[in-house]
């Protein structure tokens, strides 16, 4: 009887709280649940949040229904009688002083399925430290959470105070959150397919059926042609798996507890519907039909083999895309832009045109192997295809290169300050509007005058990557004409002394219709796009809070800090501000060169190099979201 009355009491509390819009306290989790909603930003999966306001004038606390009232500003206008416009509200209530503030604004976050509670301010809130501590302690005393509550450091200013040991409240960084995340939306969406499970090693010899949704025990180098993918390890948001998945438009998720989930085990070999959302996923048996994939038009590739000399990229080649590829052509644009905007580009940039690759693969030891592959009727024989691809790669590497090409390179670089050069793919099937080809082809280093790491060896390794399993399969899937694939090579000095490297997307990928750029950066030369298992990069969104009206009003919102750098920031505030300015200007300039993609974001790769921490921009391409 007591249990029955107890249950009725909580049902009453839950119903009463759901009906009301706000409360001065949260006495228990049921009260929290009644007000919880999704955070405004999708930077973390598996988080629920309740917005909180403290009225400084009336000295009253308000926890409000965050699924009904989405913004702090909406609440103060509709419930507290605030009558100023949004700009005044932002300027006064996110400032670095208490003087003109009417309110303290925060978010009480909970990592679902754990006992971890995090109090967070907006990254653009420059609340003085004593006020932060006062606000934190008021939240702590007016909720049931008590000593479990921690304060989340999400901007450089707070990080600096923490390093200086100024905080008197318990603070945490992103590693506190990442350690508990079990689920991550990689590519949102839904699909129907047969649920199957594979080991990564098996994919070398087994080809999953195109009507399957597959579970993998790691991150695949090659993305199978399937309906959906579940991996067991969290992903860097700008990794190649993410970019290729977005290109494919198939749902992909990470779920670290997949092996322990008995409900999913019961669905193996059954037809299921998988639905992936930001903070959760749904998977269930279904009778729905598996939709047929329509075969698109064969994508024809342009080849101009008339250019037979090295192309110096210090001047923009006319229609260079047709004979050196998009990546090399875009480097020429970057070099031109760097003359107007303060960033550096890789020195001694040249391009090897398609002509030399075409000439090389026409040799009798290579061309019949390619013809045999493309004529092979059993396209589903993974073992045969992979063996044939290896034969082609080996033949490309075995045949000597045209000595004239090596001579041209030696002449071009004889007076260069650098001896180490990076040879990078620039095919006619990558960095396109509808096919980015992220991570499909190889880059290699050659050293001028070296007898082991020769230019010839580097070039042939890059050329042979046209016939990697991943690149071949991805082109096949997208209906790209394999007969006309050719490889140009972008060459420039290499960077053995990089302090950090990263990727910028010139939009806020975590919050729709909100300004900013998204940055992933990692220490040294450790990869952002293909990280080693267990590596977490630094990730942040940078933005001007008041839409760029005030140059000094520049904010950083950290999602994570590099675990290779003791979870300390890799970039200074000045470097982050410079990244923002440079990337937005590059975006604008590239619209003019491309004469298309207007108002679409771009994908930029950068490095921080040398004692002076110079910013180098090494690549730009359209971002296919």
């Amino acid at each position: 009887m007591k249990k029955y009355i107890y249950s009725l009491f909580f049902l009453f509390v839950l119903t009463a709280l759901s009906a009301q819009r706000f409360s001065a306290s949260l006495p228990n989790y049921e009260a929290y649940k009644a007000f919880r909603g999704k955070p405004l930003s999708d930077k973390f999966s598996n988080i629920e949040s309740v917005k909180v306001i403290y009225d400084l004038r009336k000295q009253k606390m308000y926890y409000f229904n965050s699924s009904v009232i989405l913004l702090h500003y909406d609440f103060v206008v509709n419930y507290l009688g605030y009558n100023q416009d949004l700009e005044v509200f932002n300027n006064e209530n996110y400032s670095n002083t208490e003087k003109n503030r009417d309110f303290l604004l925060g978010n009480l976050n909970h990592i679902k399925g754990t006992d971890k509670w995090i109090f967070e301010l907006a990254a653009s809130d420059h609340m003085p430290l004593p006020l932060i501590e006062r606000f934190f302690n008021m939240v702590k005393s007016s909720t049931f959470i008590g000593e479990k509550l921690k304060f989340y450091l999400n901007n450089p200013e707070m990080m600096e105070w923490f390093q200086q040991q100024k905080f008197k409240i318990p603070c945490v960084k992103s590693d506190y959150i990442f350690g508990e995340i079990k689920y991550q939306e990689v590519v949102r969406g839904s699909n129907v397919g047969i649920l199957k499970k594979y080991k990564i090693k098996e994919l070398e010899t087994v080809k999953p059926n195109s009507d399957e949704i597959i579970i993998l025990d790691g991150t695949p180098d090659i993305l199978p042609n399937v309906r959906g993918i579940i991996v067991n390890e969290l992903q860097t948001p700008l990794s190649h798996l993410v970019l290729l998945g977005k290109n494919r438009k198939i749902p992909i998720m990470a779920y670290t507890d997949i092996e322990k989930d008995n409900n999913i085990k019961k669905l193996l070999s059954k037809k299921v519907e998988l639905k992936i959302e930001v903070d959760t996923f749904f998977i269930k048996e279904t009778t729905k039909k598996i939709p047929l994939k329509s075969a698109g038009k064969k994508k024809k590739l342009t080849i101009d083999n008339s250019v037979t000399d090295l192309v110096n990229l210090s001047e923009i080649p006319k229609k260079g895309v047709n004979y050196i590829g998009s990546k090399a052509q875009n480097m020429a644009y970057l070099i031109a832009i760097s003359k107007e905007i303060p960033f550096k580009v890789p020195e001694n940039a040249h391009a090897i045109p398609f002509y030399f690759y075409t000439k090389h693969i026409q040799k009798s030891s290579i061309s019949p192997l390619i013809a045999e592959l493309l004529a092979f009727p059993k396209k589903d024989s993974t073992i045969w295809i992979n063996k044939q691809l290896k034969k082609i790669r080996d033949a490309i590497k075995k045949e000597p290169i045209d000595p004239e090409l090596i001579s041209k390179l030696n002449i071009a670089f004889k007076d260069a300050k650098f001896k180490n050069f990076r040879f990078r793919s620039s095919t006619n099937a990558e960095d396109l509007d509808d096919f980015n080809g992220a991570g499909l082809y190889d880059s290699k280093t050659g050293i001028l005058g070296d007898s082991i790491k020769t230019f010839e060896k580097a070039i042939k390794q890059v050329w042979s990557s046209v016939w990697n399993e991943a690149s071949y399969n991805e082109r096949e899937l997208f209906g790209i004409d394999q007969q006309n694939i050719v490889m140009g090579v972008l060459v420039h000095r290499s960077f053995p002394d990089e302090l950090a490297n990263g990727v910028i997307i010139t939009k806020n990928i975590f919050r729709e219709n909100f300004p900013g750029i998204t940055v992933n950066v990692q220490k040294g030369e450790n990869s952002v796009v293909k990280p080693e298992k267990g590596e977490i990069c630094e990730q942040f969104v940078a933005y001007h809070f008041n839409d760029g009206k005030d140059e000094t009003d520049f904010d950083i919102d950290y999602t994570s800090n590099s675990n290779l750098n003791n979870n300390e920031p890799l970039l200074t505030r000045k470097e982050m501000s410079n990244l923002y300015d440079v990337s937005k200007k590059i975006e604008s300039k590239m619209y003019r060169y491309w004469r298309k993609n207007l108002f679409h974001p771009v994908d930029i790769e950068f490095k921080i190099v040398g004692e002076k921490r110079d910013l180098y921009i090494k690549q730009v391409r359209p971002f296919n979201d």
Side-chain angles (χ1 to χ4, degrees), residues 568-586:
E568 297 294 338
L570 285 163
L571 304 179
T572 66
R573 183 179 171 81
K574 186 177 180 182
E575 287 170 337
M576 290 185 275
S577 179
N578 187 42
L579 270 186
Y580 180 92
D581 291 337
V582 165
S583 63
K584 294 306 277 185
K585 286 172 183 172
I586 289 173

Side-chain angles (χ1 to χ4, degrees), residues 153 176 192 268 336 398 441 453 534:
L153 307 169
Y176 184 78
V192 175
L268 285 170
K398 190 175 180 181
Y441 308 103
K453 282 200 164 187

Side-chain angles (χ1 to χ4, degrees), residues 413-457:
F413 299 139
K414 67 181 173 68
D415 296 324
K417 290 192 298 181
F418 308 96
K419 298 295 180 187
N420 292 22
F421 289 85
R422 196 68 171 161
F423 292 78
R424 302 170 58 201
S425 69
S426 185
T427 69
N428 56 350
E430 63 184 309
D431 293 1
L432 307 177
D433 296 342
D434 54 354
F435 185 81
N436 60 36
L440 297 181
Y441 308 103
D442 294 342
S443 298
K444 296 294 175 181
T445 296
I447 302 173
L448 187 64
D450 194 87
S451 60
I452 299 171
K453 282 200 164 187
T454 63
F455 283 179
E456 176 166 2
K457 184 178 179 181

Side-chain angles (χ1 to χ4, degrees), residues 301-307 309-313 315-334 349-358 424-433 435-436 441 462-463 466 484-491 590 594 596 618-622:
L301 300 174
T302 305
I303 308 173
D304 177 356
N305 281 321
S306 64
V307 176
D309 209 345
L310 274 185
V311 179
N312 189 331
L313 299 178
E315 292 183 9
I316 296 173
K318 192 174 181 181
K319 294 184 179 178
V321 171
N322 297 341
Y323 54 86
I324 57 174
S326 292
K327 189 182 288 181
Q329 179 76 10
N330 290 340
M331 177 58 75
Y333 293 145
L334 281 174
H350 286 68
I352 300 170
F354 296 158
Y355 163 78
F356 289 99
Y357 170 84
T358 303
R424 302 170 58 201
S425 69
S426 185
T427 69
N428 56 350
E430 63 184 309
D431 293 1
L432 307 177
D433 296 342
F435 185 81
N436 60 36
Y441 308 103
V462 176
W463 278 349
V466 168
N484 288 315
I485 177 74
V486 285
M487 173 77 84
V489 182
L490 169 60
V491 192
M590 291 306 294
W594 287 330
K596 55 186 176 180
K618 59 166 280 198
Q619 184 169 309
V620 61
R621 61 185 172 196

